[in-house]
Amino acid sequence: MHILVTGGAGFIGSHLTEALLARGDRVTILDNLSTGEARNIEHLFDNPNLEFVEGSVTDAGVTDPLVGGADQVYHLAAAVGVKLVMEKPVETIETNVGGTEVVLKAAHRHQKKLLIASTSEVYGKNSTGPLKEDDDRVMGSVMKHRWAYANTKTLDEFLALAYWNEYQLPVVIVRLFNTVGPRQSAAYGMVIPNFVESALAGAPIRVFGDGAQRRCFGHISDVVRGLAGLMDHPDAPGQVFNIGNPVEIGIEELAHRVKEMTGSDSEIQIIPYEQAYGQGFEDMKRRVPDTTKIKNIIGWEAQIQLDEILRSVIDHAIGLREENKLKAAGSSGGP
């Protein structure tokens, strides 16, 4: 099978591509490398079943023929991370809405099965839980840039479901809850990579907010298994599914767990949201997925729990640090 993965050089996309190639599929990646990195997939470049196309998903001239040439399309390309959303709201909105519109039009034109990666952010300030797919969204003011990302992904979902209802386009929507694992970048505000990098460097571990907010973290291998299972199930199109690990932890407690597992002497600092992101930043106190729906359709459950997740991220980060030390020593002519 020939599969197109938009955003395939990103954290989730690179792991998905790896899994698809491992099962014998032919994969084309479309990525403009704005947040994805070539090094995430460079270990796959020798695979004859991989094609990499550098380009933007918002460019219909590039995207349309790639969709037309594929059997299935995973649309993962998006602006990601709270930090990027706050710093570049225009890029966030244009990429997320415009890119999905281009992909949906192409999938409709060529009648291709499509999976769209959405986010738990669409629930907004709804801190009840566990959250089910049909629960209400609670959105903040349009004056708060924090909610721009959530609303762009909500519009993506509305548009995708409109294509299903009006044109019977086979599209599956997944809402991801804090996916974590090796190769996730700390650059866009992702909490676990940031905590791990700080701990290993002996730098302060900075907890934004009051630290009492509670989140859940799913391992990338579990998430990829869920994505592929939903894409291949004949009853999934036209539906929305949560994917995430329902075991929750407080963020300050998470910082202490990372500090302990790394053996770090880093100080844990509590940084108010206003100091981190500016005045008026809003967040939700709790976000926990109800994964009953995906379990009922494909039997999916999260298998990897938090300590194992953290260990995988820590080990990967240590490996990168050692690799960078060797490169630095080689470039300086040292032993």
Side-chain angles (χ1 to χ4, degrees):
M1 185 172 292
H2 183 196
I3 298 175
L4 172 65
V5 180
T6 74
F11 162 55
I12 297 175
S14 65
H15 283 277
L16 175 62
T17 297
E18 202 170 49
L20 295 173
L21 290 171
R23 76 179 192 184
D25 292 319
R26 187 158 60 95
V27 180
T28 296
I29 288 174
L30 173 61
D31 201 303
N32 66 0
L33 302 181
S34 60
T35 56
E37 298 182 62
R39 74 176 184 176
N40 286 341
I41 55 172
E42 61 186 7
H43 64 292
L44 303 173
F45 284 162
D46 290 338
N47 191 317
N49 286 327
L50 175 67
E51 176 188 17
F52 173 68
V53 177
E54 185 172 350
S56 174
V57 72
T58 61
D59 186 343
V62 173
T63 303
D64 184 86
L66 293 178
V67 171
D71 299 305
Q72 296 177 341
V73 180
Y74 289 84
H75 177 44
L76 308 182
V80 296
V82 172
K83 185 173 184 289
L84 182 62
V85 171
M86 295 301 292
E87 292 177 353
K88 298 184 177 181
V90 172
E91 179 181 325
T92 298
I93 295 168
E94 291 182 346
T95 298
N96 291 356
V97 176
T100 299
E101 182 180 16
V102 168
V103 171
L104 280 165
K105 285 182 176 179
H108 172 51
R109 183 177 298 112
H110 300 289
Q111 283 301 296
K112 304 296 181 178
K113 191 172 186 179
L114 171 64
L115 183 145
I116 292 180
S118 187
T119 171
S120 61
E121 283 283 308
V122 301
Y123 292 106
K125 293 190 287 185
N126 188 339
S127 294
T128 62
L131 293 163
K132 301 186 296 296
E133 288 84 354
D134 59 356
D135 281 344
D136 289 341
R137 300 177 305 112
V138 181
M139 284 293 143
S141 166
V142 296
M143 304 303 292
K144 311 289 187 183
H145 293 317
R146 168 70 170 80
W147 305 114
Y149 176 68
N151 280 287
T152 62
K153 300 304 281 187
T154 299
L155 183 56
D156 287 351
E157 290 193 20
F158 273 123
L159 187 58
L161 291 174
Y163 269 90
W164 163 256
N165 291 324
E166 189 169 346
Y167 303 121
Q168 292 75 56
L169 178 70
V171 59
V172 183
I173 298 167
V174 295
R175 292 178 184 159
L176 303 179
F177 284 69
N178 291 328
T179 305
V180 187
R183 299 203 291 266
Q184 186 174 39
S185 173
Y188 307 106
M190 306 308 186
V191 62
I192 287 180
N194 271 286
F195 283 3
V196 169
E197 286 195 6
S198 296
L200 292 176
I205 300 174
R206 304 170 74 216
V207 175
F208 296 158
D210 61 9
Q213 65 270 37
R214 302 184 68 78
R215 298 291 186 270
C216 301
F217 298 92
H219 193 265
I220 183 62
S221 62
D222 281 337
V223 170
V224 164
R225 180 167 51 84
L227 295 176
L230 289 172
M231 174 65 96
D232 293 338
H233 198 284
D235 296 331
Q239 299 194 62
V240 180
F241 298 90
N242 291 333
I243 299 183
N245 189 324
V247 178
E248 58 186 302
I249 186 172
I251 298 302
E252 185 177 3
E253 182 185 351
L254 176 66
H256 283 283
R257 186 85 64 91
V258 169
K259 178 177 177 176
E260 178 184 354
M261 291 183 67
T262 56
S264 174
D265 59 1
S266 291
E267 174 190 4
I268 294 176
Q269 296 180 345
I270 305 297
I271 310 294
Y273 280 134
E274 290 76 12
Q275 185 177 334
Y277 297 119
Q279 289 295 322
F281 181 84
E282 295 181 323
D283 203 11
M284 68 300 303
K285 281 295 185 182
R286 182 175 183 243
R287 183 171 288 164
V288 181
D290 183 324
T291 56
T292 303
K293 188 174 180 181
I294 188 174
K295 180 180 179 181
N296 287 343
I297 191 170
I298 63 171
W300 184 94
E301 289 182 287
Q303 296 177 349
I304 301 177
Q305 300 307 319
L306 184 59
D307 281 354
E308 189 176 351
I309 291 170
L310 292 177
R311 177 51 55 195
S312 72
V313 176
I314 291 166
D315 289 348
H316 179 73
I318 291 172
L320 281 181
R321 289 170 67 85
E322 293 301 318
E323 181 182 321
N324 290 335
K325 284 180 183 178
L326 290 173
K327 287 180 180 178
S331 63
S332 65

